Each structure stands twice: as structure tokens, then as C-alpha cells.
Amino acid sequence: MLRSLRGWQRDGDKGRKGCFDQSKQLLNRKEEALRMPDFQVMAKPHGPICNLNCSYCYYLEKQNLYPNQTQWRMSPEVLESFVRQYIQAQDGPAVTFVWQGGEPTLLGVEFFQKVIALQKRYADGKTVENAFQTNGILLDDAWCEFLAAHKFLVGLSIDGPAHLHDAYRLDRGGQPSFDRTMRGLNLLKKHKVEFNTLTVVNRKNSYFPLDVYRFLKGIGSKYIQFIPVVEMEAEEPNREGLRLLKPYSSEPAAISEWSVEAAQYGKFLQVIFDEWVRKDVGRTFVQIFDVALESWMGLEQTLCVFNKQCGNAMVLEQNGDLYACDHFVYPENLLGNILDRPLFSMAHSPGQKRFGQLKSSRLPQYCEQCDVRFACHGECPKHRFAQTPSGEGGLNYLCAAYEHFFRHIGPYMKFMAQELRNDRAPANVMALARQQDPRGNREAVHS
């Protein structure tokens, strides 16, 4: 689940740097934004097929959308059409392909060797980069040599130490996956493959924030993504065979047993932030903290869930079907097929524009009046199935988490934003934060 890569800019031969590395980077973000692609496509070249059977995975059941499918490997025709159209559709000098699943390593190295060959054929002078999300289980020396040679950015899915990781991440035989994932990680490090870690915050690991954070740092992760899992599970599958419902569904459903609790997610983020802001600013980069600073700098957020509108991050299934969003792969959100309609025209179609605009137009009045709306913007529409205190629908299930978290970090973010504007290192916040007493007294930050 490589939700977003735009918030961290690739730095050629030295890997990825967060916006805290250089005091000028965020100040230059508006100019950089002009060079960013106006839409992105996450490709699933093996569809929802995976060698794990994670309890919380929202995508495994998408197999039911293709009941007659027997071959899940993206065909040469679809692959070439996608590579050619995606490169041609981007105006900027660089193009980033994001490969996800399912599990893309099931396709073998040979498939991605063909990807590289096609990218070279159609690059037309543009720089082409690749990002790749994996559970790490099938990684071997051959895979890692290939990933290193072609400078792939790898997102490794890992949910913390073994007892937390294996709570939900089991294989199809019900066996734990932690040891095999760690073996893959060690191979990535052996071959010096650039990697981030992606941690799904769920009902169990959300109660162990420091165990998770310190574990991730301990295994060498300097770039950390936390993704909250929130799913409404229907009592019975719908006519497409799907149990995990989209917002505004009228079918009887309840929050799934693996979903993170809203208040606990806010505490999870706060506890990690409080350690990070005292010890790790400029050393460890946590995506949600990075994006929050953009908000306090008055910049457009580079992570779609916190932006005012969405609709610029689509998903391509293995047969060429293009959907509005990774979390809205439903028949009513199908934009078309790239073998029948141009990718560019579907990405800019009136229907996709309406989809993106609904994020702001359906925002409850409660959110309109919220003091941290500028940092949240109602978060992902997928999670908007709760009610406001007055009974208005469309409130984000994680509202309590973000209200708590953003209010807590506000004084520190304000301080770091001021340091950036004055051409000083935002890491100066660590000295200030360490002055606070163990009870978390923030008086000095407010002064």
C-alpha cells in the first residue's frame, strides 16, 4: 500500500531526503509543485493476487470483480500501452511509475526487465523512476541486484516486531511472515537498495507505538509511513462479492475487528511524535509529520488524504481498467480501459473531476468550523461514515484522532515553520522540546 511518494523528493545518488534536511526545500515547494505531474497512476500488474492473506487487506477481495479471470498477469499489450501513455501524459522532465498489488514480485524479475526496456523505448528524454511496494517474502539476490541496478525505490510492508507484525500478516497457509520479511529486508540492505517502510496501524499494534517506532528505527528505516486501516465490513457480500464497503453504503455493516480505533490512532501518533520531536528530527523522517509541516507552512499538502481535493491518484488493474482511486475500486468508479480510451482523457474526464471535488463539497459543517481543518481537510473520503455531534453524516471515522494529534503538534510545527522561514534548521525544535517536563508541559513552545 504505497499510498503516496510525492511528499519525499528523490535525491539522486544519496537516497531520499525529507523536507527537514535543508531549510530551503519547503520554501521552494511551490515552484517544485509546478513541475509535479498533475496525476499519478498506481499500477497493479498482478491485480489483487498475493502470496499473503493479511486479515486487514482491502484489496484481496477485488478478485471478485473479475469472476471469469483466469490469467492475472498483465499482458504485453496492456503493459506497453500503459508505459507509453503514462510517459507521454506527463509534461515534466521526470516520470515515476508505482508498482503495487497484490504482490508484484510474483511476476518475477523478467516482467520488470521488460518494464525497464519499454521505459527506455518511450522515455523521449525524460527521466524515468520506479517505486515498488512489496511484502519482501520473495526477494532474493537476483531481485535485489535488479532493484539496485535500476534504482528502484522499494516500500517494504512491515507492522512492527514479530508479535505485532504476525498478528494479521499471515500467509495462505496461516503461517507467520515476519522472519521471511526480515530476510527480504536484509537482502535489500545487503545490495544497498533504497527503501522506505510502510506500517499498517491496526487494532493491535496501535497500542504499542514506541515498540513499533523503535523497532522500525532499529532495523534501519529512516523513512517511515504509517497507514491507518479502517474498514466497514458488511454482514453479507454485495452483488459484486465485496464485503468491505465504501462510504454512504446503505447495507448493514460494522467496523471490522482489525480496524484501528479512532482515539487510539491519535494517541499512537502523539506518542511517536513526542519521542521524534525530542530525538529524531532530521534523522528519521515520518511521512505524516513531514506533510503536517507543509500545512503549517501554508503549502499544498503532497499527501492526497490531507489535500483539499483528491482525484489525481488513480489505479490501473492488470487488464487495463483504470479506477478513480486505490480505495474506490468499485464498478461505479471505473473510468474505462486504456486499450479503449486514452489514459490522459480518462484522468481529466468530467467524472474524475467530480470525484475529486466531492471531497470538499461533502465536508460536514462541523469540519468547516474546525480549527485544524487546514491540516486535515476531512482526510480520506473512504473513512467518512461517522456522524458529527449534531447528527450530520459524512464525518471521518478518524476525526477524533486528527483533532487530538494536530492540536498536540501545533506549537512544535509552528516553531519549525518559523525556523524555516528564517533560514534556520527546524531541528532546533529538539532542544526546545527537551526542555518540556515529563508531563508534556508545552508552555515554552507557546511562548
Side-chain angles (χ1 to χ4, degrees):
M1 295 196 301
L2 201 61
R3 180 78 61 92
S4 173
L5 294 168
R6 293 177 60 193
W8 294 335
Q9 305 301 314
R10 183 185 290 269
D11 182 355
D13 47 25
K14 292 296 183 183
R16 301 178 77 75
K17 295 182 181 290
C19 66
F20 302 104
D21 289 63
Q22 302 174 20
S23 60
K24 290 292 188 181
Q25 183 170 342
L26 272 180
L27 294 176
N28 293 335
R29 184 66 59 83
K30 289 182 179 179
E31 293 181 9
E32 291 176 1
L34 296 176
R35 301 192 296 273
M36 288 181 177
D38 62 350
F39 73 92
Q40 296 173 299
V41 175
M42 180 189 296
K44 296 178 180 283
H46 207 223
I49 305 303
C50 188
N51 51 353
L52 291 186
N53 191 29
C54 300
S55 303
Y56 56 57
C57 183
Y58 64 97
Y59 212 79
L60 289 175
E61 69 171 10
K62 302 302 181 183
Q63 295 182 53
N64 296 326
L65 295 177
Y66 300 93
N68 299 319
Q69 191 89 9
T70 57
Q71 173 58 256
W72 292 95
R73 184 185 186 90
M74 183 176 281
S75 71
E77 181 185 17
V78 172
L79 178 62
E80 182 168 0
S81 179
F82 171 55
V83 171
R84 174 179 55 80
Q85 291 193 57
Y86 191 55
I87 292 175
Q88 292 174 351
Q90 306 299 334
D91 290 333
V95 181
T96 298
F97 284 80
V98 180
W99 307 95
Q100 204 210 42
E103 175 52 45
T105 57
L106 288 168
L107 293 166
V109 174
E110 298 79 10
F111 179 89
F112 288 93
Q113 288 172 335
K114 295 177 182 177
V115 167
I116 295 297
L118 288 168
Q119 289 172 342
K120 290 179 178 178
R121 182 189 305 176
Y122 292 109
D124 194 25
K126 296 177 182 178
T127 300
V128 179
E129 299 173 340
N130 289 280
F132 187 89
Q133 187 69 33
T134 179
N135 57 41
I137 289 176
L138 294 181
L139 293 178
D140 56 19
D141 285 316
W143 259 114
C144 292
E145 288 170 2
F146 170 82
L147 296 170
H150 296 285
K151 297 182 172 58
F152 272 61
L153 169 65
V154 173
L156 184 72
S157 297
I158 188 162
D159 286 356
H163 70 286
L164 297 175
H165 177 90
D166 287 334
Y168 296 115
R169 298 187 65 81
L170 303 178
D171 66 20
R172 293 189 174 275
Q175 297 302 306
S177 63
F178 178 82
D179 289 342
R180 287 173 285 173
T181 295
M182 288 299 296
R183 177 183 173 275
L185 171 63
N186 290 333
L187 285 167
L188 290 173
K189 293 194 285 188
K190 171 186 173 182
H191 291 276
K192 297 180 172 55
V193 178
E194 187 181 356
F195 73 92
N196 295 338
T197 54
L198 188 152
T199 298
V200 175
V201 186
N202 54 62
R203 185 70 58 92
K204 294 190 177 180
N205 66 1
S206 60
Y207 282 87
F208 301 91
L210 289 183
D211 289 359
V212 171
Y213 179 58
R214 291 169 182 172
F215 168 81
L216 294 173
K217 289 197 300 177
I219 63 173
S221 179
K222 295 185 180 298
Y223 305 95
I224 297 170
Q225 300 179 61
F226 292 122
I227 304 296
V229 60
V230 176
E231 296 291 352
M232 287 291 286
E233 188 175 20
E235 295 178 1
E236 298 291 337
N238 64 13
R239 62 184 180 183
E240 286 86 24
L242 304 180
R243 295 184 70 107
L244 303 180
L245 303 180
K246 62 192 301 186
Y248 313 109
S249 173
S250 59
E251 299 177 48
I255 194 75
S256 68
E257 62 90 14
W258 58 81
S259 293
V260 66
E261 296 156 300
Q264 189 58 38
Y265 183 54
K267 294 175 184 176
F268 176 91
L269 294 175
Q270 177 200 325
V271 169
I272 293 175
F273 180 86
D274 286 347
E275 175 147 312
W276 174 85
V277 80
R278 287 162 174 78
K279 298 180 179 179
D280 298 327
V281 180
R283 302 187 186 100
T284 301
F285 305 99
V286 180
Q287 186 188 44
I288 190 170
F289 304 162
D290 203 2
V291 174
L293 185 55
E294 294 174 346
S295 300
W296 264 266
M297 288 291 295
L299 302 175
E300 181 179 354
Q301 295 89 338
T302 51
L303 187 60
C304 63
V305 296
F306 295 126
N307 212 320
K308 290 181 181 180
Q309 295 187 351
C310 55
N312 67 344
M314 285 146 278
V315 164
L316 185 77
E317 257 293 341
Q318 39 73 41
N319 68 340
D321 283 350
L322 187 71
Y323 288 89
C325 170
D326 185 33
H327 288 288
F328 284 84
V329 177
Y330 299 96
E332 56 268 37
N333 299 115
L334 176 63
L335 299 172
N337 189 287
I338 62 170
L339 298 182
D340 302 323
R341 296 182 59 193
L343 175 63
F344 184 89
S345 67
M346 287 189 285
H348 293 87
S349 65
Q352 183 64 2
K353 289 180 180 179
R354 283 194 300 271
F355 173 83
Q357 292 166 353
L358 285 174
K359 180 175 183 180
S360 57
S361 65
R362 284 186 172 179
L363 204 62
Q365 189 62 30
Y366 181 84
C367 298
E368 299 278 4
Q369 299 170 350
C370 180
D371 60 317
V372 293
R373 177 194 168 185
F374 73 98
C376 172
H377 292 299
E379 208 245 8
C380 183
K382 170 183 174 287
H383 300 153
R384 293 184 185 177
F385 50 79
Q387 290 187 337
T388 69
S390 65
E392 185 181 4
L395 183 69
N396 196 296
Y397 168 84
L398 294 172
C399 175
Y402 292 123
E403 283 183 326
H404 174 81
F405 173 65
F406 287 130
R407 287 168 183 162
H408 177 78
I409 69 173
Y412 301 103
M413 287 293 167
K414 183 178 179 180
F415 177 87
M416 286 190 285
Q418 191 61 35
E419 292 297 278
L420 280 168
R421 293 188 182 99
N422 290 315
D423 202 19
R424 296 191 294 262
N428 292 336
V429 74
M430 289 191 291
L432 183 63
R434 285 193 291 264
Q435 295 174 8
Q436 310 310 302
D437 66 32
R439 294 168 296 174
N441 179 6
R442 294 186 289 165
E443 182 178 352
V445 182
H446 284 282
S447 63

